[in-house]
Amino acid sequence: MLEQAAAALRGGGLLIYPTETLYALGGLALDAAAARRVRQAKGRADDKALPLIAADPRQARGLFEEWPEAAERLAARFWPGPLMLVLPASAAVPREVLAGGNSVGVRVPGRELPRRLCQAAGPLVATSVNRSGEPPATRCVDALAAVGAWVAAALDGGTCDGAPSTVVDLCARAPRVLREGAIARAVVLAALG
């Protein structure tokens, strides 16, 4: 089933898949057309960047233009897990993902299935499954109800816990927690010393 899902992604299709936080809607991260279809499926505004996931820190680093010491420390402490790092994007990341900006948010998920998908197909868009303004899906059946008409396949991984990932912006000199989620702000800041 994993290889079929990876083949659908490589063919330009979209996929519903579970992470440790929520169900995600994704396509290949470096496929501009897939990013446009994700936006259409969600009704996501063109000025909101799409988050990405990677199989491991090495694959994640390839999506960034730079990899500062703060990123290395946070990745070593919290990856795989529900921590997204925001850094300047590499030239390989399509503008359709970046939404007019020059930075991208990437995480290495704690759940093995999405990491294996990334190993098989490449880094993925990983935005929550829901129409914009609606609650995100924590069950596959709800994800299918929201965007099923747009996807080539859906992987059911049971119920996700629903806690969003914590997002840390490392673009400026001082790291900034943009969203406190599954990992508390104080824990993130303590890891930075």
Side-chain angles (χ1 to χ4, degrees), residues 29-31 52 58-68 85-99 101-106 123 171:
L30 305 182
D31 180 343
L52 306 179
R58 180 195 54 76
Q59 191 179 70
R61 283 193 298 269
L63 299 167
F64 297 125
E65 182 180 290
E66 57 189 56
W67 186 251
L85 300 179
V86 178
L87 285 158
S90 81
V93 179
R95 62 182 172 79
E96 288 81 357
V97 168
L98 304 178
N102 62 1
S103 62
V104 64
V106 181
C171 293

Side-chain angles (χ1 to χ4, degrees), residues 2-3 5-10 28-29 59 115-124:
L2 180 77
E3 187 47 48
L9 289 163
R10 288 190 297 268
L28 292 182
Q59 191 179 70
R115 292 196 314 268
R116 289 179 59 209
L117 278 169
C118 291
Q119 287 169 344
L124 299 176

Side-chain angles (χ1 to χ4, degrees), residues 30-90:
L30 305 182
D31 180 343
R36 284 192 297 273
R37 286 193 302 281
V38 167
R39 286 186 184 286
Q40 290 172 331
K42 278 185 65 88
R44 189 174 178 101
D46 288 340
D47 64 348
K48 289 187 175 181
L50 293 170
L52 306 179
I53 61 166
D56 52 43
R58 180 195 54 76
Q59 191 179 70
R61 283 193 298 269
L63 299 167
F64 297 125
E65 182 180 290
E66 57 189 56
W67 186 251
E69 175 62 26
E72 184 66 34
R73 292 174 78 172
L74 291 175
R77 171 69 173 84
F78 298 109
W79 283 357
L83 181 76
M84 178 168 291
L85 300 179
V86 178
L87 285 158
S90 81

Side-chain angles (χ1 to χ4, degrees), residues 74-166:
L74 291 175
R77 171 69 173 84
F78 298 109
W79 283 357
L83 181 76
M84 178 168 291
L85 300 179
V86 178
L87 285 158
S90 81
V93 179
R95 62 182 172 79
E96 288 81 357
V97 168
L98 304 178
N102 62 1
S103 62
V104 64
V106 181
R107 73 184 183 99
V108 175
R111 195 167 189 157
E112 183 180 8
L113 175 62
R115 292 196 314 268
R116 289 179 59 209
L117 278 169
C118 291
Q119 287 169 344
L124 299 176
V125 170
T127 187
S128 61
V129 177
N130 59 301
R131 296 286 297 167
S132 287
E134 298 293 322
T138 58
R139 300 180 310 154
C140 190
V141 65
D142 299 326
L144 283 166
V147 298
W150 291 89
V151 301
L155 300 177
D156 191 340
T159 301
C160 299
D161 76 10
S165 58
T166 297

